[in-house]
Amino acid sequence: MTNYLPYLAIWLMACISLTSSKAQPCLMNDSLTLVEIYNATGGPDWITTWDLNTPVSTWYGVTIEDCSVTCLDLDGIDGCTYAYSLLGNNLKGSFNTVPFDLPNLKALYLSGNQINGAIYSLSTLDSLETLCFNNNQLSSLVPDFSNATNLTTLMLANNQMNGYVNDSQFPSLKLLWLNNNNIRNILNTPTFNGLEWLDLSNNYYNFGQLAFISVLNPNIPTYYYAPQDSLELEQDGWTLSVSAGGNTAENTYTWYKDGVLLNSSLGNNSIIPSDAGYYQCEVSNALITQANFKQDLELWSKNTYFTPCIPTEIIAPSTICINSTTQFNCSYTSDSTSYAWNFGSDASPQVHAFRAANVTFNSLGTKTIALTVNYGDCVETIYHTVEVIPFTETYAGQDQTIYPEDSAQLTATIIPDATYLWEPSSYLDSWYSPTPKAAPITTTTYVLHTTLGTCVQTDTVTVFVLPPTVFAGLDTYVCSGEGVTLGGSPTTSVTGPNVVVEWTTTGDPSTISAINALNPTVTPIENTTYTVCVTDGVLLGCDDVYVEAIQGPTAIDAGDDQLICLGTQASIGGINDPFAIYSWTPTTGLSNPNAPSTLASPSSTTVYTLTANRFGCTISDTVTISIDPTCKKAP
């Protein structure tokens, strides 16, 4: 719901003012408009303010004629005449909502204040002849003056206005000041019949706009259009350019770097800088000159620091294999760079937003990859073409199992014109052959890289190395001091020139016939443990064997040799070991061939052997019984 109390208060104050001044009621509407201006612009804080309790005719800057306000002068210099002044009257605020309902107002002087925003429509100022609004903070478009047909002077200099002025609004205009604003657009059909002073300087007009205005208004006595505010330098990748309007072929562009002249050319509005620095361009036009119009005009660009873009290249092969993963990268990187890859619909991934991308293509043919690199003012799209070709899948062969010092024959798929690389290369007789021999000492997985052009495929094969077999033989026994052969068949499964077999013992090492033999002979005289170890630069394994040394009969005596007569007996032997078993050979002529001592009566000279056996260990001795042919047995 609208609150009418403020308006009622204004009306009452105006009535009081009119009553006290005995003014005619016709001044009522004008006084209400003045009070709205007062309230909208901080009237109590004006340098020279109004006492709303006094007659309107006493208010500062107000001129009344025939019961109407005909002049309002609040620019700080009284007199209802234009005076170039920056003093103002400290008016602050906006006229956005103030309807200028002053139909008989002829002059409005508000220069030098701090009025901002846009001016409410001035279409009701039918009698307005002079409007001075210089040195304020007006923005937005130039206000509507469609009914101000009597307007001869319009001063809007030193504001922040934009838009354009329609000349059809001003059939009587003599002076138009739009200088020192932000106007960038051309005046709409800018034909000013009778205009005597036009100032468009210090805006953002270019040569094309000024030429259009100047050609349509060639006879304005006082016409200012120079200087204009700085142009923007535009950067597109490695190129700097400036847009000054007009016919480019009629423009002369003079370039400077760090204040030093670089070059000057006709019709060329761009430059490719070679290094970083502050760049500026001065542009002149063959038409907009003092000779043709009123002034020479040079448009200057802003002095702009420029860092040349760094050329970017896609790093990728030109030939890749179908269904194989290929990395795409680019040569430029920084923290502020954004990347946009497009690999196409038959790639995975199709798009990517980081510098490096691992990509797989699932169809054959020529592919075009696009990369857009964006950093600072540098935006560059580059392209790279690859050929996707078929490639037989590589195969490193089946896994194999060997013993140390053995070798495995590796067999890769043979692909014509391909090259091969095996990793690791240790224990291979060739790391670049498709069929090397591998002799690792521990289980090893080999990676095969097969390359055809720039296509690379990989596969793996594992050579398992079994723990080596080391066998010292079964535990055994031997008669003390006798020899027994140790080891197995074989003692070790490991063979090769670098294999070392070594036997050791906790007893007398001299009882081992050869410590590095696979199957040495040992002659222990007591129970002994023997150990065999196999090395190939590293210890591959060890094993033990226990040899029990059995103590046999310690002594034996078959007796002394004897000469007897045929038919007589001789006593032989004599030592008796209760733990031994005795036997004589031959047994002919013996009374007891299994006794340690016996009677012998051979029919001819005989050599008897006595053997004592104790737990399988034997010793022997011999005795000879000879027959004396010269004697006979007594009757």
Side-chain angles (χ1 to χ4, degrees), residues 51-121:
D51 183 355
L52 300 184
N53 294 316
T54 62
V56 176
S57 60
T58 65
W59 293 357
Y60 171 74
V62 177
T63 299
I64 299 174
E65 295 179 5
D66 297 329
C67 202
S68 297
V69 176
T70 58
C71 178
L72 180 59
D73 185 354
L74 296 175
D75 60 8
I77 299 177
D78 200 5
C80 203
T81 58
Y82 169 73
Y84 185 83
S85 171
L86 299 178
L87 296 177
N89 197 40
N90 199 35
L91 275 69
K92 295 181 180 180
S94 173
F95 281 172
N96 290 359
T97 60
V98 177
F100 277 82
D101 190 12
L102 299 171
N104 295 310
L105 186 68
K106 297 180 180 180
L108 180 59
Y109 299 98
L110 295 175
S111 298
N113 287 290
Q114 301 179 49
I115 299 171
N116 55 42
I119 303 176
Y120 194 85
S121 173

Side-chain angles (χ1 to χ4, degrees), residues 194-452:
L195 192 65
E196 298 176 357
W197 190 329
L198 175 62
D199 193 340
L200 301 176
S201 61
N202 290 301
N203 280 286
Y204 291 95
Y205 289 115
N206 60 36
F207 287 125
Q209 295 165 338
L210 292 174
F212 186 46
I213 297 170
S214 303
V215 169
L216 293 179
N217 299 274
N219 299 316
I220 300 175
T222 304
Y223 178 25
Y224 297 106
Y225 50 75
Q228 292 292 321
D229 281 351
S230 299
L231 303 171
E232 295 287 346
L233 279 185
E234 299 176 359
Q235 179 178 350
D236 182 13
W238 294 272
T239 302
L240 281 180
S241 62
V242 62
S243 178
N247 186 347
T248 302
E250 296 177 345
N251 293 344
T252 299
Y253 300 87
T254 303
W255 290 90
Y256 299 85
K257 174 182 176 290
D258 297 330
V260 178
L261 175 66
L262 288 178
N263 61 63
S264 182
S265 62
L266 181 64
N268 185 5
N269 70 330
S270 64
I271 188 174
I272 300 178
S274 59
D275 54 3
Y278 283 93
Y279 288 82
Q280 193 172 24
C281 184
E282 177 191 12
V283 189
S284 60
N285 180 272
L287 179 64
I288 308 300
T289 63
Q290 184 176 5
N292 293 330
F293 297 107
K294 300 297 181 182
Q295 294 173 287
D296 291 330
L297 174 63
E298 291 79 28
L299 296 180
W300 284 84
S301 72
K302 294 180 179 179
N303 197 20
T304 305
Y305 190 82
F306 171 80
T307 301
C309 297
I310 300 174
T312 304
E313 296 180 356
I314 293 178
I315 303 173
S318 58
T319 303
I320 61 177
C321 298
I322 189 171
N323 296 324
S324 66
T325 299
T326 302
Q327 185 176 86
F328 288 77
N329 212 323
C330 77
S331 59
Y332 183 81
T333 180
S334 74
D335 293 338
S336 59
T337 302
S338 64
Y339 305 90
W341 292 92
N342 189 331
F343 297 102
S345 59
D346 57 350
S348 178
Q350 296 181 7
V351 294
H352 191 69
F354 298 94
R355 181 188 177 199
N358 294 319
V359 184
T360 302
F361 288 91
N362 56 29
S363 66
L364 302 175
T366 301
K367 315 295 179 183
T368 299
I369 291 90
L371 169 63
T372 299
V373 181
N374 189 332
Y375 58 98
D377 293 323
C378 298
V379 179
E380 179 185 9
T381 299
I382 52 179
Y383 301 90
H384 182 76
T385 301
V386 297
E387 189 72 23
V388 181
I389 63 173
F391 189 19
T392 303
E393 184 176 0
T394 190
Y395 180 58
Q398 293 184 339
D399 296 343
Q400 300 187 48
T401 301
I402 63 171
Y403 287 104
E405 290 294 328
D406 288 344
S407 62
Q409 179 67 62
L410 304 184
T411 304
T413 304
I414 304 299
I415 299 175
D417 301 322
T419 59
Y420 304 86
L421 174 66
W422 295 87
E423 293 181 318
S425 60
S426 54
Y427 300 101
L428 293 176
D429 64 351
S430 174
W431 51 267
Y432 53 85
S433 168
T435 56
K437 286 186 177 181
I441 61 175
T442 59
T443 297
T444 302
T445 296
Y446 291 95
V447 180
L448 170 64
H449 304 274
T450 303
T451 303
L452 180 61

Side-chain angles (χ1 to χ4, degrees), residues 10-12 14-15 18 24-33 67:
I10 293 171
W11 182 81
L12 289 173
C15 289
L18 290 172
Q24 300 176 10
C26 60
L27 196 59
M28 177 69 71
N29 289 335
D30 286 5
S31 64
L32 290 175
T33 299
C67 202

Side-chain angles (χ1 to χ4, degrees), residues 589-628:
L590 298 179
S591 60
N592 186 354
N594 295 315
S597 61
T598 187
L599 296 175
S601 180
S603 59
S604 60
T605 297
T606 302
V607 177
Y608 290 96
T609 301
L610 175 62
T611 301
N613 186 327
R614 184 181 181 184
F615 305 121
C617 298
T618 62
I619 57 175
S620 299
D621 193 24
T622 61
V623 61
T624 301
I625 303 300
S626 301
I627 302 300
D628 187 357

